[in-house]
Amino acid sequence: MHPAAPPAPALPARAAGAPVDAPSRPPALRPWSRIWRYLAASGIALVLWVSVAADFLPVDGAPLPEDVEARIGGALVLDALLGLAALAMLPLRRRHPVLVATLAGAMSGVSASAVGAGVVAAVSVSTWRRWRWVVPVVAVWTGATVFYELVWRSSIADDGATVGFAALAGGLAMGIIGTCVATGFYIGARRELVATLRQRAETAEREQAAKADAARGAERTRIAREMHDVLAHRISLVAMHAGALAYRTDLSREETAEAADVIQRSAHLALSELREVLGVLRADGTPVPDDGAPAEPPQPLLTQVRELVDGARVQVEAVLDPAGLPGGDLRALVDLPATTSRTAYRVVQEALTNACKHAPGSDVVVHLAGGPGGLLTVEVHNGPPVWGRPVPAAPGSGFGLVGLAERVALAGGVLENVSGPDGSFTVRCWLPWEESR
């Protein structure tokens, strides 16, 4: 049973080092590509049929015996019919390449006009680059040629060919079929190369699109983290201080004025920082002017942590403890790398914001410790809330600590948080403190 062409595989391109005879389904032909193949096969068939007819007829025009003339006429009719049958099989050469090429080669044993279709079928089967398909076709072609010269031709014209002439004809047939096989292998290799290059181009485009999407996602995450770290803190302070003023009647005039001043300053800072973030998100990328100030001011550093702690004292009893730093002074943080300093500042900011939200009135202690060449330790501990009723807190996303852990990990540090059974909460962070050079 002759093998049929496998269905179109949905496989990647052949990798380097794969066997050469691993085929891929030939691409669909355009209308003109099909037409010129049929025209070439028909032209070859017509030329060969005329050549055979001229070979059978006597050169001097002498009359032939009736039986010889009948044999020649029948052979020419059979030759033409088999040539047409071979042409009719060509549309099936992609579905059954070996069967079509083998039958066309076998027909050439009694029909010279079948050679035209056989050439096209032989080239087509060779494009698959499977030797176990090609070898039978070559063998049938060679055997059919020898049979034509030794048996068929001599039985018609009564002038049998010699063995040497038959061997010469077989060698010529092998040369023709070898040319067809080489052409088919070249076409198949070129098709595979084009398909591989196309697949590589498509893969590169997909990878480029994926990288662009990842870059956009990373930038959106960075902007969302900055907005959370900056705006959420400011607006949370505004909401909590306003809530404290709404129900705390034991505040003195000075404390009330201080809380109102914090609300005003936090609101102004929130608006300013929101304007800066929106400036980054503008399509043209141009900064939004803010009374001559730069669109992106320097990010806050850990040296400004005292202002952060002071701003939270309306809601919690916040205390800064820098005793673990060299000299027990915040001035030791001047030589802290900028990335580490900004990350530590955000840790304290997020911890204070959560303490003000969930533990109003509690004691909050911010511990700073470490030194150059070692680790910077930041610990923010708050006790349970002590006020009679909770302050209405601003709604939160619940992802503050998650984003903070990502920020700390990017800086090469570790973040942990521990909650106590009494409602206390501790945030600890360790960041590398490289020595300044």
Side-chain angles (χ1 to χ4, degrees), residues 150-172:
L150 289 179
V151 179
W152 181 253
R153 187 176 183 279
S154 61
S155 65
I156 295 174
D158 293 332
D159 56 347
T162 63
V163 176
F165 184 80
L168 179 62
L172 179 61

Side-chain angles (χ1 to χ4, degrees), residues 376-397:
L376 171 66
T377 302
V378 179
E379 178 179 308
V380 182
H381 173 81
N382 66 266
V386 297
W387 290 353
R389 52 176 177 170
V391 179
S397 63

